[in-house]
């Protein structure tokens, strides 16, 4: 059996497949369920300083090759989230705490709290494509990305991952800014800004209007971003965007990813997601004579 274990910024994962933020992440019970179903690690829903109800429905629509969603960063707030983390930690595997804030002061407060709850690493949401004053509105600016990353790094001991938006001219420039702020890894890509119009109503389908496009349709964008980042930064890259098979996973590893996240595929494969992907990647490694998932990282780069 080919070796699926990967190490990312000191975290050991049994397999490279991490449950992405926002997927089953609002409760500890569902995060624990993903870990028991074979996820290498899980990322929580992005948590802020105060409870947020999110946007009214509809918040998600299926489109060709994926989904568009605009949930509005619904979450119970950092104080209430402690008990969810406790439950998520039960299976004994890495839990990564995703946080979003309006500035470095909020990020630092959230980071310290999350660390005190016992998570293995933090993921900074600098990439939500539509929440005013949060996410990509901060992460599209390299100076702000560096400042927030550096402030969080100075405040905690656990590894800090920065999740990047593809909705920029150069994701490599933003990746470099995160790296220079001390990030231990970058996560690429968050969703692409997208919209669907209801032809009968003559209005956008989602209550918010635009949302984040995810699923198989964005995979070529994600691959190009990971490929560019691999040439630009030395820190590990966690690749994501439209992974739904072992072949997709292999493509991201070859482009430069050291670990992977999955989101939209969970809606189709449910609890079978992680065993399915691990089995398929394992078969790919054997049939293509790779000894390990680790040994594939970045192999699409360089000479002939
Ligand atoms: C939401 C947040 C995201 O980071 C994203 O990519 C899509 C949606 C949200 O909560 O609305």
């Amino acid at each position: 059996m080919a070796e699926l274990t990967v190490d990312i910024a000191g975290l050991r994962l049994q397999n490279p497949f991490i449950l992405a933020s926002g997927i089953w992440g609002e409760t500890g019970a569902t995060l624990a369920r993903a870990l028991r179903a074979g996820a290498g690690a899980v990322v929580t829903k992005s948590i802020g300083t105060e409870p947020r109800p999110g946007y009214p429905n509809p918040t998600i629509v299926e489109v060709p090759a994926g989904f568009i969603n605009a949930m509005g960063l619904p979450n119970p707030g950092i104080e209430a989230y402690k008990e969810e983390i406790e439950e998520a930690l039960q299976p004994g595997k890495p839990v990564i705490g995703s946080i979003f804030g309006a500035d470095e002061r909020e990020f630092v407060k959230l980071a310290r709290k999350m660390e005190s709850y016992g998570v293995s690493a933090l993921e900074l949401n600098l990439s939500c494509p539509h929440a005013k004053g949060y996410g990509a509105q901060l992460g599209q600016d390299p100076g702000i990305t560096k400042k927030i990353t550096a402030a969080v790094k100075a405040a905690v001991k656990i590894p800090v991952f920065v999740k990047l938006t593809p909705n920029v001219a150069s994701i490599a420039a933003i990746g470099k800014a995160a790296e220079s702020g001390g990030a231990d890894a970058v996560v690429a890509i968050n969703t692409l800004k997208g919209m669907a119009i209801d032809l009968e109503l003559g209005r956008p389908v989602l209550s918010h209007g635009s949302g984040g496009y995810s699923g198989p349709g964005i995979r070529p964008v994600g691959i190009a971003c990971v490929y560019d980042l691999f040439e630009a930064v030395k820190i590990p890259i966690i690749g994501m965007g439209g992974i739904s098979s072992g072949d997709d996973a292999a493509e991201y590893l070859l482009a430069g990813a050291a670990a992977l996240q999955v989101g939209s595929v969970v809606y189709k494969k449910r609890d079978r997601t992680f065993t399915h992907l691990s089995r398929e990647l394992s078969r790919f490694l054997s049939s293509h004579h790779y000894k390990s998932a680790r040994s594939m990282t970045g192999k699409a780069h360089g000479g002939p």
Side-chain angles (χ1 to χ4, degrees):
M1 259 280 272
E3 178 63 57
L4 289 187
T5 308
V6 296
D7 293 286
I8 187 110
L11 261 67
R12 167 140 302 194
L13 312 185
Q14 280 167 14
N15 66 68
F17 299 104
I18 303 169
L19 179 76
S21 181
I23 317 292
W24 287 3
E26 266 183 77
T27 73
T30 44
L31 291 170
R33 176 170 151 187
L35 289 169
R36 292 196 178 98
V42 292
V43 187
T44 68
K45 176 69 183 165
S46 294
I47 304 299
T49 54
E50 302 299 327
R52 272 173 71 104
Y55 303 140
N57 285 328
T59 50
I60 186 161
V61 56
E62 189 162 8
V63 292
F67 300 96
I68 304 172
N69 86 85
M71 302 293 171
L73 294 165
N75 79 96
I78 192 70
E79 296 300 333
Y81 206 66
K82 183 174 196 272
E83 59 189 275
E84 308 301 339
I85 296 284
E86 277 165 12
E87 198 166 358
L89 290 172
Q90 289 305 314
K93 287 175 157 184
V95 174
I96 300 165
S98 173
I99 53 175
F100 74 93
D103 52 34
E104 67 267 30
R105 203 184 47 80
E106 277 190 18
F107 268 99
V108 163
K109 181 179 169 199
L110 293 161
R112 288 202 175 113
K113 280 270 175 193
M114 269 290 187
E115 181 179 48
S116 77
Y117 296 167
V119 298
S120 298
L122 294 170
E123 184 176 277
L124 309 187
N125 182 344
L126 291 177
S127 45
C128 172
H130 50 69
K132 211 162 176 265
Y134 298 111
Q137 286 198 353
L138 308 171
Q140 283 164 339
D141 180 313
I144 297 174
T145 300
K146 181 177 174 181
K147 195 160 71 170
I148 290 173
T149 307
V152 171
K153 273 298 290 180
V156 298
K157 291 192 178 66
I158 53 176
V160 175
F161 306 159
V162 178
K163 188 165 176 183
L164 306 177
T165 175
N167 302 311
V168 286
S170 167
I171 197 166
I174 309 292
K176 277 186 182 166
E179 183 176 48
S180 68
D184 296 281
V186 285
V187 183
I189 55 176
N190 204 321
T191 50
L192 289 159
K193 184 176 176 178
M195 185 184 276
I197 307 274
D198 186 310
L199 296 180
E200 302 314 314
L201 294 176
R203 288 274 185 279
V205 175
L206 301 182
S207 72
H208 179 73
S210 68
Y213 179 32
S214 65
I218 72 164
R219 199 175 77 248
V221 179
I223 294 289
C225 288
V226 169
Y227 191 94
D228 288 352
L229 283 165
F230 189 80
E231 309 242 315
V233 300
K234 293 191 178 64
I235 51 176
I237 302 158
I238 302 174
M240 66 187 299
I243 296 172
S244 62
S245 70
D247 284 4
D248 299 344
E251 195 180 4
Y252 268 97
L253 295 172
L254 291 168
L260 307 163
Q261 290 190 14
V262 294
S264 296
V265 64
V266 176
Y267 288 98
K268 308 268 167 185
K269 290 265 186 276
R270 318 263 352 150
D271 288 81
R272 287 171 290 118
T273 302
F274 297 97
T275 47
H276 159 79
L277 290 171
S278 288
R279 198 178 308 120
E280 283 199 356
L281 179 60
S282 193
R283 272 199 212 116
F284 180 94
L285 294 174
S286 305
S287 63
H288 291 71
H289 309 294
Y290 289 102
K291 284 203 178 61
S292 61
R294 208 181 296 130
S295 67
M296 288 183 74
T297 297
K299 283 291 183 288
H301 296 256

